[in-house]
Amino acid sequence: MSAAREYGLDEDYEWPRPPEGGWAAEDLDRLPNLPPHTELIDGSLVLVSPQTFFHTRTMRLLEHALLVQVPDDLDVIREVTIKLDKRNRPEPDVLVFRSEADTGPRQTWLEPRDVVLAIEVVSDDSVDRDREVKPRKYATAGVPHYWRVEENDGLPVVYVYERDPATNTYVPTGIYHDQLNVAVPFLIEIDLTDINRRHR
C-alpha cells in the first residue's frame, strides 16, 4: 500500500520534494497545501501531530495571562513563526514581541530581534526539538527569554531561561510549579493551576 493511499490521499498526490540544499524560510508562505503549523528546521519541513487538550489549554492559559500583564510596547500572539535565518523558521506556541513589529493582518512571521519571549509547550513528538534544538537556535538568534512548558500530573511546569549575551546560550533561572512569578521580561504572575478554568 502506498503512503498516499494509507493517508487517504489521491494516488497522484505529490509530496513536497525539497530543492537541493533544502527549503528556505520564504517557502513556508508559498508551498501549497502544507498542514497548519508546519515549521522549517535546518531546511526541512517539520509537520506537527494533532495537539492534546493539555497543549491547547496551556497555550490558552499563558496567552490570556500574558495579555493581561504585558506592557503597552509589547504584544502577545500564538503560533506565529520566527524567521531565524534562511533555513530556520520555527513556530513557538506563544510569543511576546515588540508591538511596533506588527505590520498588519497578513503578517506571517517575526524577526528574532522583535521577539522578547518564546514559549514552547512540549508534545510527545517535540521533546528533543523543544529541549535542545529550538532553545539553541533561539539563543543564537538573540531571543532574550525562553520558556519550556512540560506536563506533570495534568498541570504545567514552566522551565524559565534567560539568554547570556556573552555566550549566546540560555541560562536556567527557575522551575515553576503551581505559581509562576518572574520579574523579566516584565512582571508576570500566573496561576498554573488555572489550566482547566474557563474564563467568562
Side-chain angles (χ1 to χ4, degrees):
M1 175 184 281
S2 74
R5 193 178 312 136
E6 182 180 348
Y7 290 102
L9 300 171
D10 186 281
E11 275 301 318
D12 296 326
Y13 180 81
E14 289 282 330
W15 294 96
R17 292 192 176 114
E20 187 173 334
W23 299 108
E26 292 76 18
D27 293 326
L28 279 188
D29 293 323
R30 296 193 290 249
L31 282 167
N33 303 319
L34 284 179
H37 313 301
T38 299
E39 301 179 283
L40 185 71
I41 305 290
D42 294 328
S44 296
L45 299 176
V46 177
L47 312 180
V48 298
S49 62
Q51 297 301 343
T52 63
F53 274 32
F54 169 80
H55 190 279
T56 303
R57 285 177 171 159
T58 299
M59 286 193 303
R60 179 180 66 187
L61 170 70
L62 296 176
E63 179 188 29
H64 289 180
L66 289 168
L67 278 169
V68 171
Q69 302 173 65
V70 72
D72 291 341
D73 62 331
L74 300 176
D75 200 353
V76 181
I77 200 160
R78 283 171 46 170
E79 301 168 311
V80 167
T81 58
I82 309 174
K83 192 185 287 188
L84 299 180
D85 54 40
K86 182 181 177 183
R87 294 166 40 84
N88 289 280
R89 196 169 148 191
E91 182 183 289
D93 291 306
V94 182
L95 284 166
V96 176
F97 68 101
R98 300 182 204 291
S99 301
E100 63 193 26
D102 184 339
T103 62
R106 305 293 295 171
Q107 184 172 353
T108 60
W109 53 271
L110 288 162
E111 296 274 2
R113 68 174 177 260
D114 295 316
V115 177
V116 174
L117 168 64
I119 304 172
E120 297 285 0
V121 181
V122 177
S123 300
D124 288 344
D125 68 341
S126 72
V127 174
D128 290 338
R129 289 193 305 275
D130 294 343
R131 287 182 177 178
E132 299 173 26
V133 178
K134 287 185 177 183
R136 186 176 67 248
K137 291 182 180 297
Y138 293 153
T140 300
V143 176
H145 301 277
Y146 176 68
W147 295 358
R148 189 184 78 247
V149 187
E150 302 199 12
E151 183 264 338
N152 183 41
D153 290 332
L155 294 176
V157 177
V158 182
Y159 299 81
V160 174
Y161 299 87
E162 187 170 347
R163 181 176 174 270
D164 179 347
T167 61
N168 287 338
T169 59
Y170 286 124
V171 176
T173 59
I175 302 173
Y176 295 87
H177 302 255
D178 296 338
Q179 296 286 331
L180 182 146
N181 294 279
V182 295
V184 290
F186 51 93
L187 277 175
I188 303 170
E189 296 183 2
I190 302 176
D191 184 350
L192 300 172
T193 66
D194 261 358
I195 182 174
N196 296 313
R197 183 176 165 211
R198 293 186 297 168
H199 296 272
R200 300 201 191 291

